[in-house]
Amino acid sequence: MNVSERPLTAMIGLPDGPPDCAAYGRAGGWQAVRRALRDMTPEAVIETVTASKLRGRGGAGFGTGQKWSFVPRDPPATRRKYLVANADEMEPGTFKDRLLLEGNPLQLVEGMIIAGYAIQAGHGVIFLRGEYHLALARLNHAIAEARQVGWLGENILGSGFGFEIHVHASGGRYICGEETALLTALEGRRAQPRSKPPFPQVGGLWGAPSVVNNVETLCNLPHIVANGAEWFLSLGLGPDSGTKIYGVSGRVRRPGAWELPMGTPLREIVEHHAGGMRDGYRLRAFLPGGASTAFLDAGQVDVAMEYGAVEKAGSRLGTGLAILLDDRTCPVGMLHNLEHFFAQESCGWCTPCRDGLPWVERLLDAIESGTGEPEDLDRLHDHARLLGPMGRTFCAHAPGAMAPLASGLKLFREEFDAHIRQRACPLRETA
């Protein structure tokens, strides 16, 4: 891929670190803000982003332009509106936003200015994972410099539009990845999801219309506005447009993240970019888009990493960063680790999630430690059946937790039975 085909990471990895405002401008930055504020109406920006078919890169995959269209337009400039960048990257196995935040924070700043102009929001907030200390320092430096040279503040480029950005370092809760829980946390309250409606676009932060977008989603905006919707559509290999930050973790030779066309097969990502499995290890199964997606087996490694293809295969694209399970790692132990995380991170708002997930964790702990009973598998199946479907809990946390469990119970039934029969983990001596 040449630079025009990997716009998100073209300025990442420079010898001198992230570009400053001048270097960013010399490399093509700020062109999109100039075009948007000088030549386009907010409605035209929304139309361009909608035509590009940009979908949210945080996991849900909702159309970005469609999401913006729900923000009230009338009367203009008579009410406060907010734009929030969700940088609370706590999905296990996911580190794409960290790459963008540390490598080129000005790209996010420009994307937020464009999004703020489109929805006519005067204030932006970056809700950052608290452990991202380097990203925090680089974001604050980039924002201060952008403000100093006039890219943030009142009357940007003489357009009459003003925009400010504030960085909020999270206290550290996975539930803040849910947009309404994130907004509640920003208001200084316990991070718990809100009932909908009203949706955030109508009544969000402090009751004002608000849009929450993922970091990677926002970083695409300067390139779409500068190059056009048709260009962005041409980057994808299939029905989904643009590029994507894909990644791999697990026992591969080169774990990491790479910007590739939407629809790149997972096999290509694993074998070409991640260098294949390490010597002595064989791919057994994988979670295609983070911990809250369903397992697919090794025979499905040729799946195109795009929304529809992964869903057809039986999972979700999610964040697009795959977690690989090898043949020497215990799948029951892996599931126990995942469900421990989900149980720990439940906000406690609704009973099925608050009480059900710790129960799942205890059952898996018993099976992994050699004290499980055959009927424990029936209880796990019941939890997956009752907690898995959307709408039975207050938010998507419990259904996300059940995705790896339900698929794991199907794919790894022999391993579950062996644990119970042998009263120990069969792989413990070889892992």
Side-chain angles (χ1 to χ4, degrees), residues 95 246-258 268-279 324:
F95 41 90
Y246 293 112
V248 173
S249 60
R251 287 189 166 113
V252 290
R253 290 187 176 90
R254 296 190 300 271
W258 309 272
E268 178 183 331
I269 300 171
V270 172
E271 295 185 356
H272 178 69
H273 299 282
M277 300 298 292
R278 285 162 46 188
D279 293 341
L324 306 190

Side-chain angles (χ1 to χ4, degrees), residues 251 277-285 298 325-328:
R251 287 189 166 113
M277 300 298 292
R278 285 162 46 188
D279 293 341
Y281 295 93
R282 179 174 56 85
L283 178 64
R284 174 73 189 280
L325 171 66
D326 62 85
D327 60 336
R328 293 171 59 182

Side-chain angles (χ1 to χ4, degrees), residues 278-399:
R278 285 162 46 188
D279 293 341
Y281 295 93
R282 179 174 56 85
L283 178 64
R284 174 73 189 280
F286 59 93
L287 299 167
S292 59
T293 57
F295 277 103
L296 299 177
D297 65 37
Q300 297 171 285
V301 71
D302 289 306
V303 65
M305 291 291 279
E306 60 191 22
Y307 298 101
V310 178
E311 184 176 349
K312 185 177 179 180
S315 188
R316 294 186 304 110
L317 179 64
T319 61
L321 283 87
I323 305 173
L324 306 190
L325 171 66
D326 62 85
D327 60 336
R328 293 171 59 182
T329 296
C330 175
V332 178
M334 180 177 179
L335 278 167
H336 177 226
N337 185 45
L338 291 174
E339 297 306 327
H340 168 76
F341 171 82
F342 287 122
Q344 177 179 270
E345 292 298 330
S346 172
C347 77
W349 183 244
C350 60
T351 303
C353 184
R354 181 187 65 238
D355 296 341
L357 295 186
W359 193 358
V360 166
E361 182 196 357
R362 289 193 298 270
L363 290 169
L364 290 170
D365 180 61
I367 294 171
E368 175 68 2
S369 62
T371 61
E373 301 294 339
E375 54 267 26
D376 290 343
L377 296 180
D378 296 329
R379 296 190 183 99
L380 289 173
H381 278 291
D382 286 342
H383 278 85
R385 175 175 58 84
L386 294 171
L387 297 182
M390 292 290 293
R392 295 184 178 179
T393 53
F394 207 71
C395 75
H397 180 76

Side-chain angles (χ1 to χ4, degrees), residues 62-73 79-82 119 179-180 183 194 196 198-205 207-213:
F62 196 78
T64 303
Q66 183 181 4
K67 190 174 190 177
W68 293 354
S69 71
F70 299 145
V71 177
R73 308 297 302 173
R79 69 169 100 178
R80 182 179 292 270
K81 300 175 185 176
Y82 294 97
I119 66 171
E179 62 178 7
T180 63
L183 295 174
R194 304 176 182 179
K196 304 174 187 177
F199 290 90
Q201 294 93 321
V202 176
L205 188 61
S210 307
V211 166
V212 181
N213 284 136

